[in-house]
Amino acid sequence: MPADTAAHDMLNRTIAVIETDGEEGVRVVDIAKHVGVAVTTLFHLFGNRDSLIMAAQIERYVRGQAGMIEEFDVATAIARTKEDFRAVVIRMVRSETAPINSAIRQSRQGVFGSASRQSELMTAITSSHNSMCLGLQVALERAKENGWIEPAIDTLATAYWILGLMNSRVFIEVGSPQVDRRAWDDLTMKSILRVLFVD
């Protein structure tokens, strides 16, 4: 089995274990056996159990959001008008707030919880988050250069704000059943559109 395939499979298995049993459920022997490799292969690829868990937690955080940013970047690159760009923004917000993506948001929240106890993981998560925000900023800068969004907008601050808003939806999903989720989604959409577009 190629090393990149084995590493990918080990990350996937480790993520599955973390999501069902927590970090304490991750056993190197079980992960290696499930993937069909020797424990030495796992150590060669990840160094140790802690590094494997950290890599899995980073992957848990990045999944979904990095894909969304990449799709957003591609869609904005082919947009030809302000209306095209506006439609891309609306699709992104609807996708990110969709109930079907609840598990992804809850997974990210779990990573934040783990990172709060581990400074090395927090540093790695922060670095990944910063990279995603910079990716979103590129798309927003392109829209700004085309005159499609508010010209005075700080695109980096806006990128951080948008991603923070998307991540915050988990709080009403796990702890506030009395909040009307559709109302929250509508407010989020209106807020983002109001900030980006002056008309």
Side-chain angles (χ1 to χ4, degrees), residues 34-45:
H34 181 83
V35 174
V37 299
V39 172
T40 54
T41 301
L42 186 145
F43 286 136
H44 173 73
L45 293 171

Side-chain angles (χ1 to χ4, degrees), residues 58-74 96 104 108 128-129 131-133 135-136 163 167:
I58 292 166
E59 182 67 17
R60 282 177 76 204
Y61 177 74
V62 169
R63 282 187 183 175
Q65 211 160 39
M68 175 273 294
I69 290 168
E70 187 175 318
E71 289 174 24
F72 185 73
D73 184 50
V74 169
E96 279 298 295
I104 293 170
R108 282 187 217 133
S128 294
H129 186 75
S131 294
M132 288 187 280
C133 288
L136 186 53
L163 290 184
N167 283 334

Side-chain angles (χ1 to χ4, degrees), residues 122-176:
M122 181 59 83
T123 299
I125 293 300
T126 301
S127 176
S128 294
H129 186 75
N130 291 343
S131 294
M132 288 187 280
C133 288
L134 289 172
L136 186 53
Q137 181 193 23
V138 168
L140 293 174
E141 276 296 323
R142 187 181 306 118
K144 188 175 178 178
E145 289 166 9
N146 287 326
W148 298 339
I149 62 174
E150 169 64 44
I153 200 169
D154 180 318
T155 54
L156 185 57
T158 304
Y160 274 88
W161 173 69
I162 289 172
L163 290 184
L165 197 55
M166 296 299 121
N167 283 334
S168 70
R169 192 180 193 281
V170 73
F171 292 109
I172 66 166
E173 293 171 328
V174 298
S176 300

Side-chain angles (χ1 to χ4, degrees), residues 72-125:
F72 185 73
D73 184 50
V74 169
T76 58
I78 61 174
R80 295 292 168 242
T81 66
K82 181 178 182 176
E83 292 72 30
D84 291 345
F85 179 72
R86 186 184 190 95
V88 170
V89 170
I90 290 169
R91 273 196 316 271
M92 176 197 68
V93 174
R94 284 185 179 150
S95 174
E96 279 298 295
T97 59
I100 196 167
N101 288 324
S102 176
I104 293 170
R105 287 187 292 274
Q106 289 180 29
S107 180
R108 282 187 217 133
Q109 190 67 20
V111 174
F112 289 142
S114 292
S116 69
R117 299 182 306 275
Q118 303 172 45
S119 62
E120 192 176 350
L121 179 57
M122 181 59 83
T123 299
I125 293 300

Side-chain angles (χ1 to χ4, degrees), residues 11 14-15 18 51-61 111:
L11 282 177
T14 304
I15 289 168
I18 290 170
S51 295
L52 171 66
I53 290 172
M54 184 181 315
Q57 291 287 32
I58 292 166
E59 182 67 17
R60 282 177 76 204
Y61 177 74
V111 174

